[in-house]
Amino acid sequence: MLPVIPLSHPATSGRPESVYRLPGFAAFLFARLATVFAMQIQAIVVAWQVYDITRDPMSLAYAGLAQFLPMLLLLAPAGDLIDRYNRKAILSASWALSAICSALLAWLSYSDAHPVGGIYAVLVLFGCARAFMAPSLQSLLPQIVPRERLAQSLATNSMIMKIGTIGGPVAGGALYAFGGPVAYLVCLVCFLGGIVLLRRVQLLHAQQMAQAGAGNKPLGIWQRFNEGIRFIWSHPIVLGAISLDLFAVLLGGVVALLPIYAQDILHVGPTGLGLLRSAMAVGEILTGLYLSTRPFNRRVGRTLFCAIFLFGGANLVFAFSTAFWLSFVALVVAGAGDMVNVYVRGALVQYSTPDYLRGRVNAVNMLFISSSNELGEFRAGSTAAAFGAVPAAAMGACFTLLIAGGMMWRVKELRNVDRFEDAAHAR
């Protein structure tokens, strides 16, 4: 077993300390809030600009693909480096590269030359930054909170993060009225602010990855990365949880279709698009607020499947809605289901994974998440181009419900898991 290196010691008392008072946790939350705010503003402005220039649903698909491909190519080195080197430094570097991307988008937007190709190129660079950003974020959180507070911290982290998911799209739609350069410069400031706040984050513990191999020969990068893949493959609960999320969002996500719904079906402008984009986050943050104060730890497997069914059903309602208020409510409900999914899946993965493997396991996990998001955008955009936005959203929701039902029947280890701690011992 790898040695645990204590970096500091949390205070102990007769009553549990507020999770917000854990050393470094508040700074971590605000740093992530600033950067999520930036990413959401940037996403809404890029989507509106690209579709406004091209009026082609495939352009939205290409925007998602431009971010996904570099993340796929950098998956192995990202997970390996996060396990071998300072995770805070890697996260700071990824945010710095993201700030550069915001500056480039501001310049392209200021040039006012309909630079769709340039936007795609910057999104590729941004995808490179995200390849390191998400796994390092997920690997860092368990190092700054005690293990017994991990599930509650995950819920609190997800809930606070959704504030940026709500405020970002609304702010992005409002900022776009002042021009793309203004919106992108706000993103730049937020990324830089996240870097400053991250310096205040303290680590409670860490584990160093052993350089093991045959004899004295160290393991190569692919051998080290395969160790993470073998860990996931040998744990049906972890594999089932991240696979369920992959197919649910990949097939049922409607975020990429929101610009089409806003302009052509619901007939609302950029502000309405921002509200639609933030609707899921409203459901997520309300659910996350509840979970951060009253976390549950019983029948977590069955609850996960119920959350996916709720997500798929709400998206099916959204697909056929022609009223803005109904579309908004449906997305709020879908967000509530997604938040429970994030809470359960995140806790199962974190409780199951030893610290020295977190970078590689979370890199694979983020590949699944990114596949569901970016490839989901490509799936939605390409299907909308072929069949129309409404059939694309409806088919995706139906497939989500079918996949969830099939996995609930087949993956009994995930369906029957009762407590999060059980995942650490299940094989």
Side-chain angles (χ1 to χ4, degrees):
M1 181 176 179
L2 295 178
V4 177
I5 305 174
L7 301 180
S8 62
H9 300 278
T12 58
S13 62
R15 57 183 300 179
E17 188 180 21
S18 169
V19 68
Y20 296 101
R21 296 177 63 86
L22 295 173
F25 185 60
F28 176 84
L29 288 180
F30 284 111
R32 192 167 190 189
L33 175 61
T35 55
V36 170
F37 200 82
M39 293 174 66
Q40 290 297 320
I41 293 176
Q42 187 166 288
I44 202 74
V45 175
V46 166
W48 187 269
Q49 279 189 327
V50 168
Y51 188 68
D52 193 45
I53 292 170
T54 64
R55 295 288 175 169
D56 182 6
M58 281 301 298
S59 64
L60 301 174
Y62 294 142
L65 194 62
Q67 297 177 71
F68 172 74
L69 290 179
M71 296 178 69
L72 175 63
L73 295 175
L74 292 174
L75 172 67
D80 184 58
L81 290 174
I82 289 167
D83 279 339
R84 299 177 66 196
Y85 299 102
N86 189 303
R87 291 167 179 171
K88 284 177 59 177
I90 293 175
L91 181 57
S92 294
S94 69
W95 283 346
L97 182 57
S98 300
I100 293 173
C101 292
S102 296
L104 291 173
L105 288 171
W107 177 76
L108 287 172
S109 185
Y110 182 77
S111 68
D112 195 27
H114 302 295
V116 179
I119 291 176
Y120 289 151
V122 175
L123 291 179
V124 170
L125 187 62
F126 185 57
C128 295
R130 289 184 60 187
F132 293 86
M133 185 191 308
S136 57
L137 273 168
Q138 289 197 344
S139 302
L140 190 61
L141 179 58
Q143 290 185 254
I144 65 178
V145 297
R147 183 175 178 85
E148 64 272 12
R149 309 295 296 279
L150 182 56
Q152 185 182 9
S153 299
L154 285 168
T156 305
N157 171 66
S158 298
M159 183 269 295
I160 292 294
M161 184 180 66
K162 294 308 174 183
I163 295 177
T165 310
I166 291 176
V170 175
L175 287 170
Y176 191 68
F178 298 95
V182 174
Y184 292 129
L185 289 177
V186 171
C187 298
L188 170 64
V189 172
C190 289
F191 281 124
L192 295 178
I195 295 173
V196 173
L197 287 168
L198 189 63
R199 295 175 61 88
R200 300 177 59 86
V201 174
Q202 303 176 28
L203 304 183
L204 297 181
H205 55 83
Q207 288 180 331
Q208 303 298 322
M209 185 179 76
Q211 280 289 339
N216 294 325
K217 184 178 180 181
L219 294 176
I221 181 173
W222 286 108
Q223 292 173 302
R224 293 192 298 267
F225 184 69
N226 284 337
E227 188 178 2
I229 296 178
R230 289 195 301 270
F231 174 85
I232 294 174
W233 192 259
S234 64
H235 288 71
I237 291 176
V238 177
L239 179 61
I242 62 179
S243 300
L244 181 61
D245 179 76
L246 165 66
F247 290 112
V249 181
L250 173 63
L251 298 174
V254 296
V255 173
L257 301 177
L258 293 184
I260 303 174
Y261 268 82
Q263 291 197 35
D264 302 335
I265 298 175
L266 302 175
H267 305 291
V268 294
T271 302
L273 173 60
L275 291 172
L276 288 175
R277 185 71 183 250
S278 64
M280 287 188 65
V282 171
E284 290 168 333
I285 195 171
L286 291 176
T287 307
L289 181 62
Y290 177 82
L291 292 174
S292 68
T293 56
R294 304 188 67 175
F296 66 88
N297 194 13
R298 295 302 301 270
R299 293 185 287 274
V300 296
R302 295 181 183 275
T303 303
L304 175 62
F305 282 105
C306 290
I308 297 298
F309 285 127
L310 182 64
F311 175 80
N315 282 335
L316 187 60
V317 172
F318 172 84
F320 292 106
S321 172
T322 57
F324 178 81
W325 70 268
L326 180 58
S327 300
F328 187 89
V329 170
L331 291 176
V332 169
V333 175
D338 187 55
M339 183 63 193
V340 176
N341 166 43
V342 169
Y343 170 73
V344 176
R345 173 177 49 81
L348 288 174
V349 173
Q350 297 289 20
Y351 270 91
S352 301
T353 308
D355 188 67
Y356 78 99
L357 275 174
R358 290 192 193 279
R360 286 162 286 173
V361 170
N362 283 322
V364 177
N365 185 30
M366 289 313 302
L367 174 64
F368 279 64
I369 295 174
S370 299
S371 298
S372 62
N373 291 331
E374 274 68 44
L375 283 186
E377 292 182 9
F378 182 80
R379 188 278 311 166
S382 58
T383 306
F387 303 105
V390 174
M395 287 189 295
C398 290
F399 280 124
T400 295
L401 296 172
L402 290 174
I403 291 293
M407 291 191 67
M408 186 175 183
W409 175 60
R410 294 283 297 179
V411 189
K412 62 179 182 180
E413 295 89 350
L414 179 59
R415 183 187 69 235
N416 294 331
V417 64
D418 184 32
R419 305 173 66 90
F420 292 124
E421 293 84 356
D422 298 340
H425 310 291
R427 298 287 294 195

